[in-house]
Each structure stands twice: as structure tokens, then as C-alpha cells.
Amino acid sequence: MNKRIYWIEGDGIGPEIWKAARPVIEAALAAEHTGINLEWTELLAGDKAVRETGSPLPEATLQTLRTAELAMKGPLGTPVGTGIRSLNVALRQGLDLYACIRPVRHFEGLETPVKHPERVNMVIFRENTEDVYAGVEFAAGTPEARKLITFLREELGVNKVDETAAVGIKPMTEAGSKRLVRRALRFALDQKQQSLTLVHKGNIMKFTEGAFRQWGYDVAAQEFGDPHLHGKRTRGLAALWSRTALPTPCFRRRCCAPSSTRYSPPPTSTATISPTPLRRRWAALAWPQA
């Protein structure tokens, strides 16, 4: 059986990753005797696309990916502070790739900064299209930034924003938050995980991060079982991080360590939910260690 798989080489270390990954994928399929033969077709994006078409993300690439069953992409470079906005974010938004799913585990023999790396076994679901990834921001000193700051001051009475500030907006919707939590819960049930933790900054950002937490609770209660909650602290084993790019956040920032709340579904379900605020704008889902 033939399967067409599209691939984007990527920039920087992208070509190196691509050359290493393709034979691994093909060898894995052969070892499992799947009978699948991959037909590799290259699509252009990034530096190579600019050289050949003049555009970093040709419309032909997007159109093809919208109908593709399988695609593989190397990392695409984006200048920091100047130039075009992120090609990776453009792909996520253009294709509505709302969940970045990243398994994280330790491989024996690798050096790590943690005492018990063998206990690290996370599955990260990061929100990809809303919040700061919406890319709604205005540079400091621009007419747009000054206009927004003036509106905040004069219309809403917000006087905490300095007139010289750069300004960004983090939109978070009920639909966007719920579909991410729903995806994570279904994964937890399919993989027979014991719990799932929402990590957020809702104690400070009550109407965005706090709403994300509540919408996550609503999905768990209304679509997956028993709505009862009870308090219990957990230790993270597998994680679903939404609103952040860091797969191992506690290595970068220490937790606020508040008491958390745990969602307990009925005996027929295996997922639990536990929200734990962190010291950043993180909203995450994590399965705790047994």
C-alpha cells in the first residue's frame, strides 16, 4: 500500500534532522511489516521557498497541506524582533493545528539536570493558535500602540500601562480552550492514564487563565463523567502544556506550590483533572506520577 507523505526540509538544522529522520521512519515501517510504502513529496517553505519562489510560505504549500493525510516539517527559522512573523505560527493558524502534542521521556544514558530522570514521562498538549500565539501585538512607540493605550486609559480606566510600552493582546476563547482539554482527556482515556492536570495562572489572570481552567472543568464534568472535585496534590509524570512553548517548565521556573484541586471521574473513566498555577502565563494539562 502506497502512502504519500509531504515534507518540508526546514531551515538551520532542518536538513540535518530530515536526513536523519527519514531512514528511521522507513526502517520502522519495514520492521513492523506494515506493507506501507511511503511516497515522499517535497513542499517549499522557509529559506528554500524564498530562493525559489520569493515567498517564505507559498500558497501552493498551504493548499497542498490542507488536503494532505501525512506531512513532516523541519524547523523553520524566523527572525527575532524584526522581519516576518513566525512561519511555524502561520502554518498552525492557516491549518488550524491547535494542539502541539509532544511526548517527553528520558532515554537511559543521557545526562539530565534532574535526580530521577527515569520518572520523566510526559505527553504535552500545548495550545498553538490562541493566547500569545495569536500574534496580536504592537511595537512600543507606534501609533497603534499609543492608540490602544489611550483607549485603555480613557475608556476602561486602565492606568497601569506606560505610554512607552509595547502592547500585546492574549485572546482565549471557550471553544479553543475546550477543544484542547477535550483532546487531552480523550488521549488520557485511550492511554489509560490516571489523571490530567490543568496548570494555569488563573489566580492572577482570572478572566483568561482562570476561564481556561473553568472551561476545562466544564468539559471534564459535562462530557467525561462525574463533576465532583476534591483537593489533592500531585506530582507530574505526563503533561499537557497549553499556552507555553516549554515542555519542562518546572526546570525553568519553580512552582508556586499552591494546593490544587483534583477532578475525579466515575469508576468507568480513568482520567482525573488537577489545576496547578505556575509562576508564568502557563495553562497546562499534566498526568501525575503514580
Side-chain angles (χ1 to χ4, degrees):
M1 176 174 61
N2 293 335
K3 286 278 189 181
R4 183 177 299 278
I5 179 168
Y6 296 95
W7 60 281
I8 296 173
E9 186 177 54
D11 305 322
I13 63 171
E16 181 180 353
I17 293 175
W18 156 250
K19 290 177 183 177
R22 176 173 174 172
V24 172
I25 295 170
E26 292 177 334
L29 289 173
E32 292 296 322
H33 305 290
T34 61
I36 296 175
N37 177 49
L38 295 180
E39 298 177 351
W40 299 88
T41 301
E42 183 177 12
L43 297 176
L44 295 177
D47 292 343
K48 182 182 286 189
V50 172
R51 291 194 299 268
E52 296 190 20
T53 72
S55 170
L57 186 59
E59 183 60 29
T61 294
L62 279 175
Q63 290 291 353
T64 301
L65 289 174
R66 288 189 179 102
T67 60
E69 182 181 5
L70 297 169
M72 175 179 172
K73 179 188 74 67
L76 294 169
T78 299
V80 176
T82 60
I84 60 174
R85 290 193 178 273
S86 171
L87 291 176
N88 299 303
V89 173
L91 281 169
R92 295 169 193 158
Q93 294 179 342
L95 302 173
D96 198 25
L97 303 175
Y98 65 90
C100 180
I101 304 173
R102 296 185 177 183
V104 180
R105 54 160 293 189
H106 175 254
F107 290 89
E108 187 176 356
L110 297 179
E111 295 184 1
T112 85
V114 298
K115 292 183 178 180
H116 297 286
E118 70 280 359
R119 298 179 184 175
V120 177
N121 185 13
M122 306 179 186
V123 179
I124 300 166
F125 286 66
R126 191 189 72 202
E127 211 292 323
N128 258 356
T129 56
E130 293 192 343
D131 195 3
V132 294
Y133 283 109
V136 183
E137 61 175 355
F138 305 98
T142 60
E144 294 83 2
R146 288 194 294 268
K147 185 175 182 179
L148 181 55
I149 292 170
T150 298
F151 175 80
L152 290 172
R153 289 181 174 182
E154 296 181 358
E155 300 296 330
L156 301 179
V158 177
N159 297 311
K160 299 177 182 179
V161 182
D162 190 277
E163 62 182 7
T164 63
V167 184
I169 297 176
K170 49 176 292 171
M172 296 167 66
T173 67
E174 180 177 1
S177 297
K178 282 186 172 182
R179 70 176 179 176
L180 183 73
V181 178
R182 184 181 298 113
R183 181 79 174 265
L185 280 165
R186 286 174 177 164
F187 179 89
L189 291 168
D190 291 343
Q191 299 297 317
K192 302 187 186 306
Q193 297 290 341
Q194 296 302 307
S195 65
L196 181 138
T197 303
L198 294 171
V199 183
H200 57 89
K201 193 60 179 173
N203 57 328
I204 300 299
M205 309 189 77
K206 301 182 185 300
F207 305 125
T208 50
E209 304 287 333
F212 170 77
R213 189 197 87 162
Q214 186 57 53
W215 290 327
Y217 278 174
D218 292 344
V219 169
Q222 297 166 8
E223 301 181 22
F224 291 86
D226 190 349
H228 297 296
L229 298 165
H230 62 86
K232 185 171 183 178
R233 295 288 301 280
T234 61
R235 297 169 60 195
L237 169 64
L240 179 156
W241 296 98
S242 156
R243 324 291 185 193
T244 180
L246 298 178
T248 52
C250 287
F251 298 161
R252 298 289 299 276
R253 297 269 186 146
R254 68 179 179 85
C255 295
C256 297
S259 59
S260 60
T261 307
R262 193 169 188 171
Y263 165 80
S264 294
T268 56
S269 175
T270 60
T272 61
I273 268 193
S274 174
T276 306
L278 291 185
R279 201 176 284 279
R280 275 192 74 172
R281 290 190 296 273
W282 290 335
L285 297 164
W287 290 283
Q289 179 169 330

